[in-house]
Amino acid sequence: MTALIRSLISSWCNLSLVARILIGLTIGLILGLTTPSLTGISILGTLFVGALKSIAPILVAVLVASAIAKAQTGLGPRFRMVITLYLLTTFLAGIVAVLGSMTFPVQLSFNNVIADTSAAPEGLAEIFKGLARGMVANPIAAVSEGNYICVLFWAVIIGLALKKHASEQTIHAVSDFADVISQAVRWVIQMAPFGILGLVFTSVSESGIEIFTTYGWLVAVLLGCMFFMALVVNPLVVFLFLRKNPYPLVWKCLKESGLNAFFTRSSAANIPINMALCKKMNIETDFYSVSIPLGATINMEGAAITITVISLAACHTLGISVTFPTAIVLSILATLAACGTSGVAGGSLLLIPLACSLFGISADISMQAVAIGFIIGVVQDSVETALNSSSDALFTITAELFNRKRQNKAD
């Protein structure tokens, strides 16, 4: 019996992480459909996501500070390019969402939907004031609360201070600490199959497949726009820069980053996964240790689609006519405002009232649209996070490969 157990453990460990995740996914799906009363299984997902969310802010803080302290010259062009890619594709996602919404208009049912309006932002000024206040918050509290805007801000400040004033020994000590935290994260990631088993079980046992029948058309438009971005627009952007078949890289990012992000539903929790992928692709640590956390904050393709599609659905329901230019402005403004909630599951939904207010839709109605968003969130937010997070890795790798290509031509 002992030999059999050892053999099973050995076989399990020899499987790739993706294969183990798929096994966990399948088991969770079967258990969720057949034995939904086994609620204790949900704790596996809770523990996994909790562990990742707890360690991720610490990882971001030490990696960013260490990377900036050790950074050499020559990183500027790559950062400019990756930021350009993040903003460009977010803008393109807004256009895709507008076209999708106007081609396949969706109408919502606002009957018997109860929403809590207390957390909704009232305007862009309020949101940007909140971002500014959050940026200079207590950094210790920011780590414990997962305030990534603040974590990034203070990590950059501390990294610059280390670079200017710290000794080589101190910088090496910070780098060693970053390596220790990274190893702890890798151990947590190895538990992903069990965590995803619990997450899938929870989603299936609680929601079943009813969301596909009640709000199926809305889900179809949202997912259609997101898949179009992931499988058509993003590959096209990568091809324009690298001038080679983009799909091997796109599939790799979707498989190794997007799959895990789909189940954790948190760009912040998926930062360690993207870091590991970039390291596997031999991307320079100084670069990806800053660009990946930055992407989790400002790369908002999925949010642009969610905010635009649901807001325009509310307009269609109320019979409000929306011009194409106005819809584009809507998606840009709402997406820029969404940066402060990018690391939180379902964070983009709370920007829908802001977008709806541009069309004169009352808070009562727009928050009912938010409530519908939370109902379909088990699918919408999962795919949104998979798109956002996998494209963080995709464009970081693209920027690095483009820079190498340009340097080779120069040499």
Side-chain angles (χ1 to χ4, degrees), residues 62 66 70 167-180:
V62 296
S66 175
K70 297 187 301 178
S167 65
E168 287 295 324
Q169 292 84 351
T170 300
I171 292 175
H172 282 306
V174 174
S175 178
D176 289 342
F177 183 62
D179 291 339
V180 169

Side-chain angles (χ1 to χ4, degrees), residues 4 7 49 63 108 111 161 184 196 209-210 236 247 295 337 380 396:
L4 177 60
S7 176
V49 175
L63 278 180
L108 307 175
N111 295 328
I196 288 173
I209 59 173
E210 293 179 0
L236 179 60
Y247 283 99
Q380 166 269 322
T396 291

